[in-house]
Amino acid sequence: MKNLSIQALEQTDTVVLDHGTGARLSRELVELIAEILGDTYLGTMEDSALLDLPSRQIAFTTDSFVVTPLIFGNGDIGKIAVCGTVNDLAVSGARPLYLTLSLIIEDGMPISELVTVIESVRDTAIAADVKIVAGDTKVVGKGEADRLFINTAGVDVINLANEGCLCLFVESDSAEEVLRLLQAHPLGQKAAIIGEVLTFPQAKVSMLEQDGTVSTIEELYGAELPRLC
């Protein structure tokens, strides 16, 4: 059952600068976030987390997320933040375990919108089987952020959540086995071998068109395509 201060905070229209002062409003905001995260949050409201890792070798990454709009279609900045960090670690051969979650919130952001994003963080962390162990919350003035920026860090044990499509470069002798493992996962059933790496005097990427012609794929100069990771 929610305590009265959290119920009152949820009824507030927007985040205000006093939510970042370290006083009562800050505490209530952090308590709201922790309550929404539920069992996915293992932190104890301390500045850092002590982790038991069953390995001498770990993978570690950090990422920042700036997305407009914050909520779109079947996704949002919270889902992207968890998926993106898990993906960065998973492609290094690690098993995702722990994340940190830092929020930079603009003064005036609707509380209801923040709640939606944090709920998405929770649900995506559950789906990826990772725990959030530490975090930070800052509130900045109007115009100093685009409603919400998120920074994450991830720790995995070296032993696929994914923002979009994943391209793996695999030794040819292992390609069929990797493909079999990918297709065995519900999200990888359409995985396919789409090409091979050959030896050329100059590096280039060629694509076989449906009509049989071969085209050269030029390296992008800037942001011609959407990129989130």
Side-chain angles (χ1 to χ4, degrees), residues 45-196:
M45 300 298 180
E46 299 291 343
D47 292 334
S48 61
L50 299 177
L51 307 175
D52 292 322
L53 299 175
S55 175
R56 295 181 61 184
Q57 185 178 24
I58 64 172
F60 181 79
T61 189
T62 186
D63 212 340
S64 298
F65 300 88
V66 181
V67 178
T68 302
L70 295 180
I71 301 170
F72 53 90
N74 64 346
D76 58 80
I77 190 173
K79 183 176 183 178
I80 290 174
V82 176
C83 287
T85 309
V86 169
N87 178 70
D88 286 349
L89 290 164
V91 295
S92 69
R95 179 168 60 88
L97 291 176
Y98 305 115
L99 300 181
T100 68
L101 178 70
S102 295
L103 308 175
I104 300 175
I105 310 170
E106 183 184 17
D107 177 23
M109 180 181 181
I111 291 287
S112 59
E113 195 171 44
L114 178 62
V115 168
T116 297
V117 171
I118 301 303
E119 288 175 341
S120 181
V121 168
R122 175 199 63 205
D123 295 343
T124 310
I126 291 173
D129 195 24
V130 296
K131 300 295 185 181
I132 297 167
V133 295
D136 186 56
T137 303
K138 293 290 187 293
V139 180
V140 298
K142 292 183 183 296
E144 295 178 2
D146 190 2
R147 301 214 305 285
L148 178 65
F149 296 159
I150 295 181
N151 175 266
T152 57
V155 177
D156 294 9
V157 174
I158 297 291
N159 260 32
L160 281 169
N162 181 18
E163 298 150 327
C165 294
L166 170 67
C167 181
L168 289 175
F169 289 82
V170 180
E171 291 288 346
S172 58
D173 292 343
S174 303
E176 292 295 338
E177 176 62 12
V178 171
L179 180 63
R180 183 187 67 80
L181 293 172
L182 289 172
Q183 291 177 339
H185 191 282
L187 299 180
Q189 294 176 358
K190 296 183 179 180
I193 296 175
I194 62 170
E196 59 182 322

